[in-house]
Amino acid sequence: MRFSVGTGKESALKAKMDSLGIKETDLREKFIRSGKAGGQNVNKTSTCVYIKHKPTGIEVKCQKERSQALNRFFARRILVNKIESLVLGREAGERKKIEKIRRQKRKRSRRAKEKMLKFKKMRSEKKNLRKLPTTE
């Protein structure tokens, strides 16, 4: 494996793959032409990377960058994170984000709403007092 990233990141990815028991031979890798922005480079070269982990059946498609080598690295990193969350039974980071948004959008309680409206009313009164009186 050789990607256009620092050796530290590359060795960290390799170590994580080894710790989870992911072998390069278990991965099926294909390259597809990207359909996103990137100009002539994207239209002429196959920069999008598709990886499938045969034992688990997990599939990853990555077209973050214009470089195929970087996309190969990012795709492997995404795949490793997915397998790690599957193996260790952790809740995926994406799931946490969705839950956080759901909590934020939840309806306020009546007391919280009254408190918020009270502060809005105080602020508007303060602003109204600052206005200069108009002479007619």
Side-chain angles (χ1 to χ4, degrees), residues 16-28:
K16 206 169 191 181
M17 286 175 73
D18 290 340
S19 69
L20 291 170
I22 303 168
K23 300 179 197 112
E24 281 293 322
T25 55
D26 292 344
L27 302 179
R28 183 169 161 252

Side-chain angles (χ1 to χ4, degrees), residues 46-89:
S46 299
T47 53
C48 180
V49 177
Y50 166 86
I51 296 178
K52 181 174 183 178
H53 186 241
K54 293 173 194 169
T56 58
I58 294 176
E59 300 172 346
V60 172
K61 191 175 177 183
C62 181
Q63 55 184 16
K64 277 185 182 179
E65 298 292 327
R66 288 174 57 178
S67 160
Q68 189 184 77
L70 277 176
N71 284 334
R72 287 180 73 204
F73 172 76
F74 287 131
R76 277 177 174 71
R77 198 159 69 178
I78 293 166
L79 181 78
V80 165
N81 289 338
K82 282 188 175 187
I83 292 173
E84 183 181 34
S85 67
L86 180 78
V87 168
L88 300 178

Side-chain angles (χ1 to χ4, degrees), residues 13 18 28 32-33 39 43-44 49 57-58 68 75 84 86 94 125 135-136:
L13 177 67
D18 290 340
R28 183 169 161 252
I32 310 162
R33 287 223 173 117
N43 297 332
K44 289 189 341 188
V49 177
I58 294 176
Q68 189 184 77
E84 183 181 34
L86 180 78
E94 295 159 21
E125 286 173 359
T135 55
E136 292 180 28

